[in-house]
Each structure stands twice: as structure tokens, then as C-alpha cells.
Amino acid sequence: MEGQFTGADVFFVLLGAILVFAMHSGFAFLEVGTVRHKNQVNALVKILVDFAISTVVYFFFGFAIAYGTSFFVSASELSGAGSSGIFEAKGLTLVKFFFLTTFAAAIPAIISGGIAERMKFAPQCFATVALVGVLYPFFEGLMWGGNFGLQGWFESALGAPFHDFAGSIVVHGVGGWIALAAVMLLGARIGRYTKDGRPIGIPPSSVPWLALGSWLLCVGWFGFNVMTAQSLESISGLVAMNSLMAMVGGILSSLVIGRNDPGFIHNGALAGLVAVCAGSDIMHPIGSLFVGGVAGAIFIYAFNLAQNKLKIDDVLGVWPLHGLCGLWGGIAAGIFGSTALGGMGGVTFASQLVGSLMGVAYAFAGGYLVYGVLKATTGIRLSSDDERMGADLAIHKISANPDTDIMR
């Protein structure tokens, strides 16, 4: 019976890993639909290559940094049939690695949308190595791996450990604030602003592709959140319900505030899901609905502020979506997770506030260091001629519709 239960857990976590892996196609098509036609191929290639690089560096370095487990042992040990006791039976540890790899690979996938249309390809690959191999897993280990006793400090000094069930801060906040640093170092796209600083609108290339990206992310997100439990015994329908309510809250608030804009509506769903990750296992569904609604509003107001006032040319708005909505989600878990507001408790506002701010500060500083070093050494931006030509032809030597190009 124990073997059957373990096998069921392997299948459960594997399904979660597959669902979150599928989310990466959502990242890709959300970017494809937002960028101009001349940069669509680059969007697709970046997401896939970043996933491959992330898997390799997380296997060799990142997982060991976060959880202290190395894969440099025999296949028998890896499968759980060995005598070390480090690896769980039937390869359960291995599918957990797969699942957590999809989380780690979300970091460059998030960043990709912010730096779109003017980032060199090779430096972004180098950045992925540094981010997924070292920067992200170090913070992951602090918050999820119990490293260096930080969670013990939160509990003793602030009343409870920092709670981030599915990564509002650890994944989304970190990715979004690294992206902000990268976007600031890159600068705005050619033609995005006039000489006197007035914004020039660049419309999305395909609303249907953008919408498909959002749908793929929304569907996969239920694997992202629910299957973070990592066992059938720990699974909770409350996580699914809270994810659903936060998603629809984000949709409805962005519908009203965004005045029917399809880009805001489809990103509003994602804003709600980003925000609910941290407290999805402890909040009441009504609280999750409110958290998602606020997240939808945060995304729209922050997107307009960044693009039009601050002149931050974040193409997909990944800093407002993942960075700020992730920050809101981390803090909101300390509010709506409390028993006073119908939550399950076990959290404090102080620990959530401090932990969330710590995460975004770490991510922004780390991102600025990684992309700053690359900018000073290899350079990170396409030449003006290549940027005007588009990353598809400049980098990949092919457009999104090569047969149409031949016929011209």
C-alpha cells in the first residue's frame, strides 16, 4: 500500500510539472501577441531556449543550492532504490525536481516579456545561467528550503514564518523585480517616446495570440498552485477555489477599470492569479476575490504609470503584473490569511511585509548586478539597425511567415 501511495504521489506531482511546463507556452504566446510581428519568432525561441538552459543549470547547481541535494549519484540512488535514503522511492524526488524546475524557469520567462524587441540573444542566455543557477535558488532556499535559519528568525521576531505557498514573492515577485532592473538598464525601444518624452503607442500584433497566452497560463496555473502541495495527502480544494476566485476578481476589476480593453482584461486574470499564490492555502474565497480584484487594479494603474509617466518601456508590463501584484500577494496573505478575516491563520502581517520587501529588494539588486555586468562586458542591446529590422531577422534569420516574405 505504501508503494501505491508513493506511486500516486509521483503521478500527481508529474501532472503538476506538466501543467506548469505548459504554462511556458502561455508565456510565449502572450509575448507573441503583444510584440510587433517582426519580433514574434524571437519571443517563441527565447522562452523555449531559456527553459532548456534553466533545466540544465538548475539540475547541476540550482537545486543543490536551494535544497542541498545533488544528482551526482547512481541511477539506482536517484530512483529511490539505493541505501542513502536521500531520494524518495519511485523517483518522487525526481518529479519534484521537474516540478520545481518549471518554477525556476518561470524567472527568465517573466523577464522575457519586459526586455522584448531590443535585447541581444546570447547575453539573455548568460543571464538565465546566473539567475536560475544561483540568484533565484539562493532565495528559494531561504524561503522554501529552510536555509540559514531565516524562517526561524521570522517566527521568533515577527510571530510567524514567512508564508508564500505557491510563490507570489519567491517566483513572481523575484522575476518581476529582476525584469524591472533589466528594462531600466536596456532603455526604451526606438520610437517608443518622442524627444520631449511623450509616449507613442505600439499596439499589440495579435489580440487572439495574446488571449491564447493568457488562457494557457490560467489553465496551467491550477497546477502551479494546487499541486504545490506535492502529495495527494496534502492537496486542498481550498487552493483551487481561492485561485479561481482571485482570477475572476482580476478579470472583473480590469474589465471595469480598463474600460473593456482586451489586453488589460486578459492580463487582469493573470494579475489575480499572481497575487493569490502566497495565501491560496489559507485565505477565505471571499478574501481571494478581493485580493484578485485589487491586483487587477494595481496592474492597470501601475502599467499606465510606468509606461506614460515613468517612461519605463516594459513591453508586457511584467513589473506591474509579476513584481507589484506579487508584492501585493505576499502582503495580502498576512491580512486575509488571518483568522479575523476568515483565513486559517498561522501568519502575521509583519512577517509578510518584511519577507515580501526583502524579496523584491534582493531581486532588484541581484537583477541590476547580473544585467549591469552583462551590459558592461558583452553589451545587452541590439544595434539600432537590428532593432529596426526586428529580432526575428537580425538574430534568427527568419520571419514569422517566411513563405509570405518570399512572395513579396
Side-chain angles (χ1 to χ4, degrees):
M1 289 296 292
E2 183 178 349
Q4 290 179 355
F5 289 142
T6 302
D9 285 343
V10 169
F11 187 64
F12 172 73
V13 178
L14 177 60
L15 284 178
I18 292 169
L19 280 169
V20 185
F21 176 48
M23 289 176 68
H24 288 262
S25 65
F27 284 120
F29 283 103
L30 189 71
E31 185 173 337
V32 165
T34 305
V35 300
R36 287 168 287 188
H37 193 79
K38 62 183 179 179
N39 296 297
Q40 290 181 325
V41 171
N42 182 243
L44 294 168
V45 173
K46 274 191 303 179
I47 301 297
L48 190 62
V49 171
D50 277 340
F51 187 89
I53 294 172
S54 297
T55 301
V56 172
V57 298
Y58 196 66
F59 178 86
F60 283 105
F61 307 106
F63 194 76
I65 292 172
Y67 302 104
T69 301
S70 169
F71 297 105
F72 295 103
V73 295
S74 69
S76 177
E77 289 287 347
L78 291 175
S79 68
S83 59
S84 69
I86 296 174
F87 294 90
E88 296 168 275
K90 295 184 179 294
L92 180 56
T93 304
L94 301 183
V95 292
K96 287 180 178 179
F97 161 79
F98 182 12
F99 184 71
L100 291 167
T101 296
T102 61
F103 278 50
I107 300 299
I110 289 167
I111 296 166
S112 176
I115 62 177
E117 300 202 313
R118 75 275 202 204
M119 178 79 185
K120 286 183 177 180
F121 187 65
Q124 175 55 21
C125 293
F126 296 146
T128 296
V129 171
L131 297 174
V132 180
V134 180
L135 189 73
Y136 166 75
F138 181 80
F139 187 73
E140 177 188 16
L142 291 176
M143 298 306 186
W144 286 346
N147 295 347
F148 300 106
L150 180 62
Q151 287 287 28
W153 176 83
F154 276 112
E155 186 170 12
S156 61
L158 301 175
F162 176 68
H163 188 89
D164 191 1
F165 180 69
S168 286
I169 295 296
V170 175
V171 179
H172 299 286
V174 167
W177 285 83
I178 293 173
L180 174 62
V183 168
M184 292 173 64
L185 286 165
L186 267 174
R189 289 168 290 175
I190 294 173
R192 181 66 180 89
Y193 301 100
T194 63
K195 291 182 178 179
D196 59 357
R198 289 183 293 109
I200 297 175
I202 300 177
S205 60
S206 173
V207 172
W209 283 130
L210 183 158
L212 176 64
S214 175
W215 274 103
L216 288 167
L217 285 163
C218 287
V219 171
W221 221 296
F222 287 88
F224 194 100
N225 284 2
V226 175
M227 291 171 173
T228 290
Q230 296 197 17
S231 71
L232 286 172
E233 184 180 3
S234 302
I235 192 172
S236 171
L238 180 64
V239 177
M241 184 65 171
N242 283 335
S243 301
L244 177 66
M245 296 300 281
M247 181 187 74
V248 299
I251 293 170
L252 294 175
S253 68
S254 60
L255 169 68
V256 175
I257 299 170
R259 300 179 181 179
N260 304 323
D261 183 285
F264 284 145
I265 292 169
H266 284 91
N267 277 285
L270 308 181
L273 287 164
V274 166
V276 80
C277 285
S280 57
D281 62 326
I282 58 173
M283 294 193 297
H284 189 282
I286 296 175
S288 295
L289 180 67
F290 182 82
V291 168
V294 171
I298 288 172
F299 173 72
I300 293 174
Y301 287 123
F303 181 88
N304 288 329
L305 175 67
Q307 297 284 341
N308 300 327
K309 301 294 184 182
L310 302 179
K311 307 297 186 295
I312 298 173
D313 188 16
D314 177 354
V315 181
L316 268 66
V318 297
W319 173 57
L321 180 61
H322 298 275
L324 293 179
C325 292
L327 177 60
W328 158 240
I331 296 170
I335 302 171
F336 295 94
S338 66
T339 55
L341 291 178
M344 296 182 67
V347 292
T348 65
F349 177 77
S351 64
Q352 294 305 117
L353 177 64
V354 173
S356 297
L357 292 176
M358 182 183 296
V360 300
Y362 171 82
F364 182 77
Y368 209 92
L369 175 64
V370 170
Y371 283 95
V373 169
L374 287 170
K375 182 176 182 178
T377 53
T378 66
I380 59 176
R381 182 159 182 157
L382 291 171
S383 69
S384 57
D385 287 342
D386 284 349
E387 186 178 338
R388 290 188 178 94
M389 180 193 304
D392 293 357
L393 293 177
I395 298 172
H396 308 289
K397 313 305 180 188
I398 193 168
S399 69
N401 299 102
D403 59 332
T404 304
D405 294 336
I406 293 172
M407 294 171 61
R408 288 177 181 172

